[in-house]
Amino acid sequence: MAFDAFQKRKERQLLWLLLPALVPLLILTIYPALYAVYLSMTNEALTGVAAAKPRFVGAANYLRLFSDGRFWNSLFVTFVFVVGSAIIGQFVLGFISAMALRRKIVGAPVFGAAILLPNAAPEVVAGFMWISMLAGGDHATLSKILVFFGLPYVDWLQTFPLFMVVMVNTWRGIGTAMILLTAGLAAVPAEVYEAARMDGANPRQMFMRITLPLMAPTIFLYMLISTVSTISVFGLVYALTRGGPGNKTEVISVYIYNQSFAAFQIGYGAAGAVVALVVSLALGIAYVRSLKVEV
Amino acid sequence: MAGISEKRSGAYTLLAYVTLIVISIFCVLPFVWMALASIDSNVQLFLKWPDSVTFDHYTKVFAEENGVRWFANSLFTVLSATFIVMVVAGLGGYALSRSKAWWKQPFLYAILLIRVLPSTALLVPLYKILLTANNGIGTVLRPLVGEHYRFVMQLFGFIDGYLGLIIVLATGQLPLALWIMKVFFDGVPKDYEEAAILDGATLVQRIRRVLIPLALPGLAAAGLFAFMSAWGDFLLPLILLSSPELQTLPIGLFRAFLRVNEIDYGLLAALATIYLIPAVIAFSFARRFLVQTFSGGVKG
């Protein structure tokens, strides 16, 4: 009985300690998420008549959204962006780097640091550096390299805007993929490889039959994490292209931003935001379930 | 037999070197351009060795632009947010680790899910909430401070004020920090606290004398990640700040870059380098904690 009372008091104390974290999270993340759902059903705007007297409009914003070619375009661009940079680019190059660094490599820490460096760069710095590398026609570094090999130069951000955005985001995430996959590779017991070598397996077979299957859970988790975090990328794309030229690089987060803060249509922008929230939450729930978090 | 497999292994090692060199060059090249451009007296858009080394661009950032102000604003807001995160997540992470109550599991799931919400999607409602709070605090403060109203609101306002940016920045870093601290305290044996309880120490004494010293490594990791993420954040200052006196480095850099007709690449490179350096320093310290944050957190 006395123990029970003690336990209860202790739990109450702990709740007090959690309160300073709980309150801002409720007010500044959970409530805005719910509020976004409400806003998406109004004609709220930053300027004009609707700003003074917002009305409830039901599903009108969603109907408009789903018939808006620019919205579908942003979903398509986001899809290409995620698959191209997170699923393919970062993963493949990160995996290759992790595999290569498993060998006895002279200067391995230097390579590791070099590959991780882009990860440390703030989004705006990354955008600025790459504009300098890509813009400027025949003056751009990447063009100079092409010209050096006798190829014609290209105005990269005008000709292949989406591909360039994918490449820059790939560049930014190789390091994290490498670190995570290195940890996964280290968890594969060395005896398994030893046994396979005894049986005369070649490196290709060992990779296909041992490394990949044993790494599958790590890879799956990595894909979920990077998909979710890539969907929310804003600053990098905005600093690099601001969604242009045309809407060729307008990922969903830039679309929401443009609708809400450039066109001032808050209610309509919120409908786009809700779509992004639902997709991210669904992926997040899949992530939490597959993680089987021990809490 | 052994000869062939050795030769093959050598070929693979060579391949590994080539791959690593190519990927490393790809990763580092933009930084090399930026560093060289920032000290080149004749800046070009393409990568080249400086004609002659000059520090004029750096001087210009501080003398002609508001570089000092931007840097100070960034440092002040980000460090304040980091400090808040460390205190709040330290307490909360301890509670999450030690509690056996019903709310523990839902709360932990909730903070993992909060991390996946795209910040652009929360921004509009967040802005409206802050605007309401800002009007509220403005109504209270206006009669109190009189003619200093504008200045006071720059300090304590939620829109276009330090306080709002700091609180929102801190809240954004809380979920990962809470997770790091929870996992950290899970690894700290309860014996110390129990001994302190037996000695009759109060909760506050236990926190000050026992838990804070024990928690320092965890707090360092949580603080580093909070600092890096808040330092790199571009969206929040872009939306929340409009006064020139409040601008932070990412916005200063972005705006300088938008002046299309007179882009000064040397100046921009110097500014970007200044902005980059604290991030790289923090990252080099945080690197060894990187893997742990993946297991429970979401990539930041």
Side-chain angles (χ1 to χ4, degrees), chain A residues 211-223:
Chain A
T211 311
L212 268 189
L214 284 178
M215 287 285 287
T218 311
I219 292 172
F220 177 68
L221 265 188
Y222 165 77
M223 297 267 176

Side-chain angles (χ1 to χ4, degrees), chain A residues 245-263:
Chain A
N247 302 318
K248 287 197 183 107
T249 59
E250 193 175 59
V251 293
I252 183 85
S253 56
V254 176
Y255 175 81
I256 297 169
Y257 177 86
N258 283 341
Q259 291 301 331
S260 317
F261 287 98

Side-chain angles (χ1 to χ4, degrees), chain B residues 9 29 32 34 51 87 101 152 221 226 233 245 250 254 259 272:
Chain B
S9 166
L29 205 61
V32 176
M34 193 173 78
D51 286 0
V87 173
V152 171
D233 195 283
E245 308 94 90
F254 183 68
R259 284 177 269 169

Side-chain angles (χ1 to χ4, degrees), chain A residues 11 44 106 139 171 287-288, chain B residues 17 27 46 99-100 109 128 297:
Chain A
E11 284 294 345
E44 185 91 36
V106 180
H139 285 310
W171 167 83
Y287 168 72
V288 171
Chain B
Y17 272 109
C27 286
F46 55 87
S99 171
K100 294 184 185 73
Y109 282 131
K128 293 212 62 168

